[in-house]
Coordinates of all heavy atoms in Angstrom, one line a residue:
E1138 N -4.5 -5.2 -23.3 CA -5.8 -4.6 -23.0 C -5.8 -4.0 -21.5 O -5.2 -4.5 -20.6 CB -6.9 -5.7 -23.0 CG -8.3 -5.1 -22.9 CD -9.4 -6.1 -23.1 OE1 -9.1 -7.0 -23.9 OE2 -10.4 -6.0 -22.5
V1139 N -6.4 -2.8 -21.5 CA -6.4 -2.1 -20.2 C -7.8 -2.0 -19.7 O -8.8 -1.9 -20.5 CB -5.8 -0.7 -20.3 CG1 -4.3 -0.8 -20.6 CG2 -6.4 0.2 -21.4
P1140 N -8.0 -2.0 -18.4 CA -9.4 -1.8 -17.8 C -9.9 -0.4 -18.0 O -9.2 0.6 -18.2 CB -9.2 -2.2 -16.4 CG -7.8 -1.9 -16.1 CD -7.1 -2.0 -17.4
D1141 N -11.2 -0.3 -17.8 CA -11.9 1.0 -17.8 C -11.5 1.8 -16.5 O -11.5 3.0 -16.5 CB -13.5 0.9 -17.9 CG -13.8 0.4 -19.3 OD1 -13.1 0.7 -20.3 OD2 -14.8 -0.3 -19.4
L1142 N -11.4 1.0 -15.4 CA -11.2 1.5 -14.1 C -10.2 0.7 -13.4 O -10.3 -0.5 -13.4 CB -12.5 1.6 -13.3 CG -12.4 2.0 -11.7 CD1 -12.0 3.5 -11.7 CD2 -13.7 1.8 -11.1
L1143 N -9.2 1.3 -12.8 CA -8.1 0.6 -12.1 C -7.9 1.2 -10.7 O -7.7 2.5 -10.6 CB -6.8 0.7 -12.8 CG -5.7 -0.1 -12.3 CD1 -6.0 -1.6 -12.2 CD2 -4.4 0.2 -13.2
L1144 N -8.0 0.4 -9.7 CA -7.9 0.9 -8.2 C -6.5 0.4 -7.8 O -6.2 -0.8 -7.9 CB -8.9 0.3 -7.3 CG -10.4 0.5 -7.7 CD1 -11.3 -0.2 -6.7 CD2 -10.7 2.0 -7.6
I1145 N -5.7 1.3 -7.3 CA -4.3 1.0 -6.9 C -4.1 1.5 -5.5 O -4.3 2.7 -5.2 CB -3.2 1.7 -7.9 CG1 -3.5 1.2 -9.3 CG2 -1.9 1.3 -7.3 CD1 -2.4 1.1 -10.2
D1146 N -3.6 0.6 -4.6 CA -3.4 1.0 -3.2 C -1.9 0.8 -2.8 O -1.5 -0.3 -2.5 CB -4.3 0.2 -2.3 CG -4.2 0.6 -0.8 OD1 -3.7 1.5 -0.5 OD2 -4.8 -0.2 0.0
E1147 N -1.2 1.9 -2.9 CA 0.2 2.0 -2.4 C 1.2 1.1 -3.2 O 2.3 0.9 -2.8 CB 0.3 1.6 -1.0 CG -0.4 2.7 0.0 CD 0.3 4.0 0.1 OE1 1.5 4.2 -0.5 OE2 -0.2 4.8 0.8
V1148 N 0.7 0.4 -4.2 CA 1.5 -0.6 -5.0 C 2.8 0.0 -5.5 O 3.8 -0.7 -5.6 CB 0.8 -1.4 -6.0 CG1 0.5 -0.5 -7.2 CG2 1.5 -2.6 -6.4
L1149 N 2.8 1.2 -5.9 CA 4.0 1.9 -6.5 C 5.1 2.1 -5.6 O 6.3 2.4 -5.9 CB 3.7 3.1 -7.3 CG 2.6 3.0 -8.4 CD1 2.3 4.3 -8.9 CD2 3.1 2.0 -9.4
S1150 N 4.9 1.9 -4.3 CA 5.9 2.2 -3.3 C 6.7 1.0 -2.8 O 7.5 1.0 -1.9 CB 5.3 2.9 -2.0 OG 4.4 2.0 -1.4
V1151 N 6.5 -0.1 -3.5 CA 7.2 -1.4 -3.1 C 8.2 -1.8 -4.2 O 8.1 -1.3 -5.3 CB 6.2 -2.5 -2.9 CG1 5.2 -2.3 -1.8 CG2 5.5 -2.8 -4.2
G1152 N 9.1 -2.6 -3.8 CA 10.1 -3.1 -4.7 C 11.3 -2.2 -4.9 O 11.4 -1.2 -4.2
D1153 N 12.3 -2.7 -5.6 CA 13.6 -1.9 -5.8 C 13.3 -0.8 -6.8 O 12.3 -0.5 -7.3 CB 14.7 -2.8 -6.2 CG 14.4 -3.5 -7.5 OD1 13.5 -3.0 -8.3 OD2 15.1 -4.5 -7.8
G1154 N 14.4 0.0 -7.0 CA 14.3 1.1 -7.9 C 13.9 0.8 -9.3 O 13.2 1.6 -9.9
E1155 N 14.5 -0.3 -9.8 CA 14.1 -0.7 -11.2 C 12.5 -1.1 -11.3 O 11.9 -0.7 -12.3 CB 14.9 -1.9 -11.6 CG 14.7 -2.3 -13.1 CD 15.5 -3.6 -13.5 OE1 16.6 -3.7 -12.9 OE2 15.1 -4.2 -14.4
F1156 N 12.0 -1.8 -10.3 CA 10.6 -2.1 -10.3 C 9.8 -0.9 -10.2 O 8.8 -0.7 -10.9 CB 10.3 -3.1 -9.1 CG 8.9 -3.3 -9.0 CD1 8.2 -4.3 -9.8 CD2 8.0 -2.6 -8.1 CE1 6.9 -4.6 -9.7 CE2 6.7 -3.0 -8.0 CZ 6.1 -3.9 -8.8
A1157 N 10.2 0.1 -9.3 CA 9.5 1.2 -9.2 C 9.4 2.1 -10.5 O 8.4 2.6 -10.8 CB 10.0 2.1 -8.0
Q1158 N 10.5 2.2 -11.1 CA 10.6 2.9 -12.5 C 9.7 2.2 -13.5 O 8.9 2.9 -14.2 CB 12.0 2.9 -12.9 CG 12.2 3.7 -14.2 CD 13.6 3.8 -14.6 OE1 14.5 3.0 -14.2 NE2 14.0 4.8 -15.3
K1159 N 9.7 0.9 -13.6 CA 8.8 0.1 -14.5 C 7.3 0.3 -14.2 O 6.6 0.5 -15.0 CB 9.2 -1.3 -14.5 CG 10.4 -1.6 -15.3 CD 10.9 -3.1 -15.2 CE 9.9 -4.1 -15.6 NZ 10.3 -5.5 -15.5
S1160 N 7.1 0.3 -12.9 CA 5.7 0.6 -12.4 C 5.2 1.9 -12.8 O 4.0 2.1 -13.3 CB 5.6 0.4 -10.9 OG 5.9 -1.0 -10.6
R1161 N 6.0 3.0 -12.6 CA 5.6 4.4 -13.0 C 5.4 4.4 -14.4 O 4.4 5.0 -14.9 CB 6.6 5.3 -12.5 CG 6.4 5.8 -11.2 CD 7.2 7.1 -11.0 NE 6.8 7.7 -9.6 CZ 7.5 7.4 -8.5 NH1 8.5 6.6 -8.5 NH2 7.1 7.9 -7.4
K1162 N 6.3 3.9 -15.2 CA 6.1 4.0 -16.7 C 4.8 3.3 -17.1 O 4.1 3.8 -17.9 CB 7.4 3.3 -17.3 CG 7.3 3.4 -18.9 CD 8.4 2.8 -19.6 CE 8.3 2.9 -21.0 NZ 9.2 2.0 -21.7
R1163 N 4.6 2.1 -16.6 CA 3.4 1.4 -17.0 C 2.1 2.1 -16.5 O 1.1 2.2 -17.3 CB 3.3 0.0 -16.3 CG 2.2 -0.8 -16.6 CD 2.0 -1.1 -18.2 NE 0.9 -2.0 -18.4 CZ 0.0 -1.7 -19.5 NH1 0.2 -0.7 -20.3 NH2 -1.0 -2.5 -19.6
M1164 N 2.2 2.8 -15.3 CA 1.0 3.5 -14.7 C 0.7 4.7 -15.7 O -0.4 5.0 -16.1 CB 1.4 4.0 -13.4 CG 0.1 4.8 -12.8 SD -1.3 3.8 -12.6 CE -0.7 2.4 -11.7
Q1165 N 1.8 5.4 -16.2 CA 1.6 6.5 -17.1 C 1.0 6.0 -18.4 O 0.1 6.7 -19.0 CB 3.0 7.2 -17.4 CG 3.4 8.0 -16.1 CD 4.8 8.5 -16.2 OE1 5.6 8.0 -16.9 NE2 5.0 9.6 -15.6
E1166 N 1.4 4.8 -18.9 CA 0.8 4.2 -20.1 C -0.7 4.0 -20.0 O -1.5 4.3 -20.8 CB 1.5 3.0 -20.5 CG 2.9 3.1 -21.0 CD 3.7 1.8 -21.2 OE1 3.1 0.8 -20.9 OE2 4.8 1.9 -21.6
I1167 N -1.0 3.4 -18.8 CA -2.5 3.1 -18.5 C -3.2 4.4 -18.4 O -4.3 4.5 -19.0 CB -2.5 2.2 -17.2 CG1 -2.0 0.9 -17.4 CG2 -4.0 2.2 -16.7 CD1 -1.8 0.1 -16.2
I1168 N -2.8 5.4 -17.7 CA -3.5 6.7 -17.6 C -3.6 7.4 -19.0 O -4.7 7.8 -19.3 CB -2.7 7.6 -16.7 CG1 -2.9 7.0 -15.3 CG2 -3.3 9.0 -16.8 CD1 -1.9 7.8 -14.2
S1169 N -2.5 7.2 -19.8 CA -2.6 7.8 -21.1 C -3.6 7.1 -22.1 O -4.2 7.8 -23.0 CB -1.2 7.8 -21.8 OG -0.4 8.7 -21.2
S1170 N -3.9 5.8 -21.7 CA -4.7 5.1 -22.6 C -6.3 5.5 -22.4 O -7.2 5.0 -23.1 CB -4.6 3.6 -22.3 OG -5.2 3.2 -21.0
G1171 N -6.5 6.3 -21.3 CA -7.9 6.7 -21.0 C -8.5 5.9 -19.8 O -9.7 6.2 -19.5
T1172 N -7.8 5.0 -19.2 CA -8.3 4.3 -18.1 C -8.5 5.3 -16.9 O -7.5 6.1 -16.7 CB -7.4 3.2 -17.7 OG1 -7.4 2.2 -18.7 CG2 -7.7 2.5 -16.4
T1173 N -9.5 5.2 -16.1 CA -9.6 6.0 -15.0 C -8.9 5.3 -13.8 O -9.1 4.0 -13.6 CB -11.1 6.1 -14.5 OG1 -11.8 6.8 -15.5 CG2 -11.3 6.9 -13.2
V1174 N -7.9 6.0 -13.2 CA -7.1 5.3 -12.2 C -7.4 6.1 -10.8 O -7.4 7.2 -10.7 CB -5.6 5.4 -12.5 CG1 -4.7 4.8 -11.3 CG2 -5.3 4.7 -13.8
V1175 N -7.7 5.2 -9.7 CA -7.8 5.7 -8.4 C -6.7 5.2 -7.7 O -6.5 4.0 -7.5 CB -9.2 5.1 -7.8 CG1 -9.2 5.7 -6.4 CG2 -10.4 5.6 -8.6
L1176 N -5.8 6.1 -7.3 CA -4.5 5.7 -6.7 C -4.6 6.2 -5.2 O -4.8 7.4 -4.9 CB -3.4 6.5 -7.3 CG -2.0 6.4 -6.7 CD1 -1.5 5.0 -6.7 CD2 -1.0 7.4 -7.4
V1177 N -4.5 5.2 -4.3 CA -4.5 5.5 -2.9 C -3.0 5.5 -2.4 O -2.4 4.4 -2.6 CB -5.4 4.4 -2.1 CG1 -5.3 4.7 -0.6 CG2 -6.7 4.4 -2.6
S1178 N -2.5 6.6 -1.9 CA -1.1 6.6 -1.5 C -0.8 7.7 -0.6 O -1.5 8.8 -0.6 CB -0.3 6.9 -2.9 OG 1.0 6.8 -2.6
H1179 N 0.3 7.6 0.1 CA 0.9 8.7 0.9 C 2.1 9.2 0.3 O 2.8 10.1 0.9 CB 1.2 8.1 2.4 CG 0.0 7.8 3.2 ND1 -0.5 6.5 3.2 CD2 -0.8 8.6 4.0 CE1 -1.6 6.5 4.0 NE2 -1.7 7.8 4.5
D1180 N 2.5 8.7 -0.8 CA 3.6 9.0 -1.6 C 3.3 10.3 -2.4 O 2.8 10.2 -3.5 CB 4.1 7.9 -2.5 CG 5.3 8.3 -3.3 OD1 5.7 9.5 -3.3 OD2 5.9 7.4 -4.0
L1181 N 3.6 11.5 -1.8 CA 3.1 12.7 -2.4 C 3.8 13.0 -3.7 O 3.2 13.7 -4.6 CB 3.3 13.9 -1.4 CG 2.5 13.7 -0.1 CD1 2.7 14.9 0.8 CD2 1.0 13.5 -0.3
V1182 N 5.0 12.6 -3.9 CA 5.8 12.8 -5.2 C 5.0 12.0 -6.3 O 4.8 12.6 -7.4 CB 7.2 12.4 -5.0 CG1 7.9 12.5 -6.3 CG2 7.9 13.2 -4.0
T1183 N 4.7 10.8 -6.0 CA 4.1 10.0 -7.0 C 2.6 10.6 -7.2 O 2.2 10.6 -8.5 CB 3.8 8.5 -6.5 OG1 5.2 8.1 -6.4 CG2 3.1 7.7 -7.5
V1184 N 1.9 11.0 -6.3 CA 0.5 11.6 -6.4 C 0.6 12.8 -7.3 O -0.1 13.0 -8.3 CB -0.1 11.9 -5.1 CG1 -1.3 12.7 -5.3 CG2 -0.4 10.7 -4.3
E1185 N 1.6 13.7 -7.1 CA 1.7 14.9 -7.9 C 2.2 14.6 -9.3 O 1.6 15.2 -10.2 CB 2.7 15.8 -7.2 CG 2.8 17.2 -7.9 CD 3.6 18.2 -7.2 OE1 4.1 18.0 -6.0 OE2 3.9 19.3 -7.7
E1186 N 3.0 13.6 -9.4 CA 3.5 13.2 -10.7 C 2.4 12.6 -11.6 O 2.3 12.9 -12.7 CB 4.6 12.2 -10.6 CG 5.2 11.7 -11.9 CD 6.3 10.7 -11.7 OE1 7.1 10.9 -10.9 OE2 6.2 9.7 -12.4
L1187 N 1.6 11.7 -11.0 CA 0.6 11.0 -11.8 C -0.9 11.6 -11.9 O -1.6 11.3 -12.8 CB 0.5 9.5 -11.3 CG 1.7 8.7 -11.4 CD1 1.6 7.3 -10.9 CD2 2.2 8.6 -12.9
A1188 N -1.2 12.3 -10.8 CA -2.6 12.7 -10.7 C -3.0 14.0 -11.4 O -2.1 14.9 -11.4 CB -3.0 12.8 -9.3
D1189 N -4.2 14.1 -11.9 CA -4.6 15.3 -12.5 C -5.7 15.9 -11.5 O -6.1 17.1 -11.7 CB -5.1 15.3 -13.9 CG -6.2 14.3 -14.1 OD1 -6.8 13.8 -13.1 OD2 -6.5 14.0 -15.3
R1190 N -6.1 15.2 -10.6 CA -7.0 15.6 -9.6 C -6.8 14.8 -8.4 O -6.6 13.6 -8.4 CB -8.4 15.4 -10.1 CG -9.6 15.9 -9.2 CD -10.9 15.9 -10.1 NE -12.0 16.1 -9.3 CZ -12.6 17.3 -9.1 NH1 -12.1 18.3 -9.7 NH2 -13.7 17.4 -8.4
V1191 N -6.9 15.5 -7.2 CA -6.6 14.8 -5.8 C -7.7 15.0 -4.9 O -8.3 16.1 -4.9 CB -5.2 15.3 -5.3 CG1 -4.9 14.8 -3.9 CG2 -4.0 15.0 -6.2
L1192 N -8.0 13.9 -4.1 CA -8.9 14.0 -3.1 C -8.3 13.6 -1.8 O -7.6 12.5 -1.7 CB -10.1 13.0 -3.4 CG -11.2 12.9 -2.4 CD1 -12.5 13.1 -3.2 CD2 -11.2 11.6 -1.6
W1193 N -8.4 14.5 -0.8 CA -7.7 14.3 0.5 C -8.7 13.9 1.4 O -9.7 14.7 1.7 CB -6.9 15.6 0.9 CG -6.5 15.7 2.3 CD1 -6.4 14.6 3.2 CD2 -6.2 16.8 3.0 NE1 -6.0 15.1 4.5 CE2 -5.9 16.4 4.3 CE3 -6.2 18.2 2.7 CZ2 -5.5 17.3 5.3 CZ3 -5.8 19.1 3.6 CH2 -5.4 18.7 4.9
L1194 N -8.8 12.7 2.0 CA -9.6 12.2 3.0 C -8.9 12.1 4.4 O -7.7 11.8 4.5 CB -10.1 10.8 2.7 CG -11.0 10.6 1.5 CD1 -11.3 9.2 1.3 CD2 -12.3 11.5 1.7
E1195 N -9.5 12.6 5.5 CA -9.0 12.4 6.8 C -10.1 11.9 7.7 O -11.1 12.6 7.8 CB -8.4 13.8 7.3 CG -7.7 13.6 8.6 CD -7.0 14.9 8.8 OE1 -6.0 15.3 8.1 OE2 -7.3 15.6 9.8
N1196 N -9.8 10.8 8.3 CA -10.8 10.2 9.3 C -12.2 10.0 8.5 O -13.2 10.2 9.1 CB -11.0 11.0 10.5 CG -9.8 11.0 11.3 OD1 -9.0 10.0 11.4 ND2 -9.5 12.2 11.8
G1197 N -12.1 9.6 7.2 CA -13.3 9.3 6.4 C -14.0 10.5 6.0 O -15.1 10.4 5.4
K1198 N -13.5 11.6 6.2 CA -14.2 13.0 5.8 C -13.3 13.7 4.7 O -12.2 13.7 4.8 CB -14.4 13.9 6.9 CG -15.2 13.2 8.0 CD -15.8 14.2 9.0 CE -16.5 13.5 10.1 NZ -17.7 13.2 10.1
L1199 N -14.0 14.2 3.7 CA -13.4 15.0 2.7 C -12.8 16.3 3.2 O -13.5 17.1 3.9 CB -14.4 15.4 1.6 CG -13.9 16.2 0.5 CD1 -12.8 15.5 -0.4 CD2 -15.1 16.6 -0.5
K1200 N -11.6 16.4 3.1 CA -10.9 17.7 3.5 C -10.7 18.7 2.4 O -10.9 19.9 2.6 CB -9.5 17.4 4.1 CG -9.5 16.6 5.4 CD -10.1 17.4 6.5 CE -8.9 18.3 7.0 NZ -9.2 19.0 8.2
K1201 N -10.3 18.2 1.2 CA -10.0 19.0 0.0 C -10.0 18.2 -1.2 O -9.6 17.0 -1.2 CB -8.7 19.8 0.2 CG -8.5 20.9 -0.8 CD -7.3 21.8 -0.3 CE -7.1 23.0 -1.2 NZ -8.1 24.0 -1.3
I1202 N -10.4 18.8 -2.3 CA -10.4 18.1 -3.6 C -10.0 19.1 -4.7 O -10.3 20.4 -4.6 CB -11.8 17.6 -3.9 CG1 -11.6 16.6 -5.2 CG2 -12.8 18.5 -4.0 CD1 -12.9 15.7 -5.4
G1203 N -9.2 18.7 -5.7 CA -8.8 19.6 -6.7 C -7.5 19.4 -7.3 O -7.0 18.1 -7.3
D1204 N -6.8 20.4 -7.7 CA -5.4 20.4 -8.3 C -4.5 19.7 -7.3 O -4.5 20.1 -6.2 CB -5.0 21.8 -8.6 CG -3.6 21.8 -9.2 OD1 -3.4 21.5 -10.3 OD2 -2.6 22.2 -8.4
P1205 N -3.7 18.8 -7.8 CA -2.7 18.1 -7.0 C -1.8 19.0 -6.2 O -1.7 18.8 -5.0 CB -1.9 17.2 -8.0 CG -2.8 17.0 -9.0 CD -3.6 18.2 -9.2
K1206 N -1.2 20.0 -6.8 CA -0.2 20.8 -6.1 C -1.0 21.6 -4.9 O -0.5 21.7 -3.8 CB 0.4 21.8 -7.0 CG 1.4 21.2 -7.9 CD 2.1 22.2 -8.8 CE 3.0 21.4 -9.8 NZ 3.7 22.1 -10.7
E1207 N -2.2 22.1 -5.2 CA -2.9 22.8 -4.1 C -3.3 22.0 -3.0 O -3.2 22.3 -1.8 CB -4.1 23.4 -4.8 CG -3.9 24.6 -5.7 CD -5.1 25.1 -6.4 OE1 -6.2 24.8 -6.0 OE2 -5.0 25.9 -7.4
V1208 N -3.8 20.7 -3.3 CA -4.2 19.9 -2.2 C -3.0 19.3 -1.5 O -3.1 19.2 -0.2 CB -5.0 18.7 -2.8 CG1 -5.3 17.7 -1.8 CG2 -6.3 19.2 -3.6
I1209 N -1.9 19.1 -2.1 CA -0.7 18.6 -1.4 C -0.2 19.7 -0.5 O 0.2 19.4 0.7 CB 0.4 18.1 -2.4 CG1 -0.1 16.8 -3.0 CG2 1.8 17.9 -1.8 CD1 0.7 16.3 -4.2
V1210 N -0.1 20.9 -1.0 CA 0.4 22.0 -0.1 C -0.6 22.2 1.1 O -0.1 22.3 2.2 CB 0.4 23.4 -1.0 CG1 0.5 24.5 0.1 CG2 1.5 23.3 -1.8
A1211 N -1.9 22.1 0.9 CA -2.8 22.2 2.1 C -2.6 21.1 3.0 O -2.7 21.2 4.3 CB -4.3 22.2 1.5
Y1212 N -2.4 19.8 2.6 CA -2.1 18.7 3.3 C -0.8 18.8 4.2 O -0.9 18.6 5.4 CB -2.1 17.4 2.5 CG -1.6 16.2 3.2 CD1 -2.6 15.5 4.0 CD2 -0.3 15.7 3.2 CE1 -2.2 14.3 4.7 CE2 0.0 14.6 3.9 CZ -0.9 13.9 4.6 OH -0.5 12.7 5.3
Q1213 N 0.2 19.2 3.5 CA 1.5 19.5 4.2 C 1.4 20.6 5.2 O 2.0 20.5 6.3 CB 2.6 19.7 3.2 CG 2.9 18.5 2.3 CD 3.9 18.8 1.2 OE1 3.9 19.9 0.6 NE2 4.8 17.9 1.0
S1214 N 0.6 21.6 4.9 CA 0.5 22.7 5.9 C -0.3 22.4 7.1 O -0.2 23.0 8.1 CB -0.2 23.9 5.2 OG 0.6 24.4 4.0
S1215 N -1.1 21.3 7.0 CA -2.0 20.9 8.0 C -1.3 20.2 9.1 O -1.8 20.0 10.2 CB -3.2 20.1 7.6 OG -2.7 18.8 7.2
G1216 N -0.1 19.7 8.8 CA 0.6 18.8 9.8 C 0.2 17.4 9.9 O 0.5 16.7 10.8
S1217 N -0.7 17.0 9.0 CA -1.3 15.6 8.9 C -0.2 14.6 8.6 O 0.7 14.9 7.9 CB -2.4 15.5 8.0 OG -3.5 16.3 8.5

């Protein structure tokens, strides 16, 4: 059984390679099941891979929201 809403804070960036691979696969299964996932992460590769919408917060303020690639490019360009 999967939850309706799942909050994840940097958990996919821990462990060895095998654990990370299993975690990503499970996360993709959960997302595919219809669960809303809120992923808090600085791992831009994972964010781009898993997210269909990204929200960039800086000092508690909304900087940009939208397509993962667009938000990530803006974030990287900002020097943050």
Side-chain angles (χ1 to χ4, degrees):
E1138 187 173 326
V1139 295
D1141 293 330
L1142 175 66
L1143 183 62
L1144 302 175
I1145 304 209
D1146 186 6
E1147 298 284 1
V1148 73
L1149 298 176
S1150 62
V1151 299
D1153 61 17
E1155 184 178 337
F1156 175 80
Q1158 187 176 18
K1159 284 173 59 176
S1160 295
R1161 271 201 172 90
K1162 182 180 179 195
R1163 180 63 180 136
M1164 183 60 57
Q1165 289 170 331
E1166 290 170 0
I1167 291 170
I1168 291 168
S1169 294
S1170 76
T1172 294
T1173 298
V1174 176
V1175 177
L1176 172 64
V1177 178
S1178 182
H1179 291 93
D1180 180 352
L1181 301 180
V1182 173
T1183 298
V1184 170
E1185 186 171 351
E1186 178 183 316
L1187 294 177
D1189 58 12
R1190 188 167 166 94
V1191 171
L1192 180 128
W1193 166 23
L1194 293 175
E1195 186 169 295
N1196 297 319
K1198 299 196 190 269
L1199 176 64
K1200 294 289 282 188
K1201 191 165 182 69
I1202 189 169
D1204 176 76
K1206 288 181 183 178
E1207 291 176 15
V1208 175
I1209 289 169
V1210 166
Y1212 174 78
Q1213 290 172 322
S1214 298
S1215 76
S1217 292

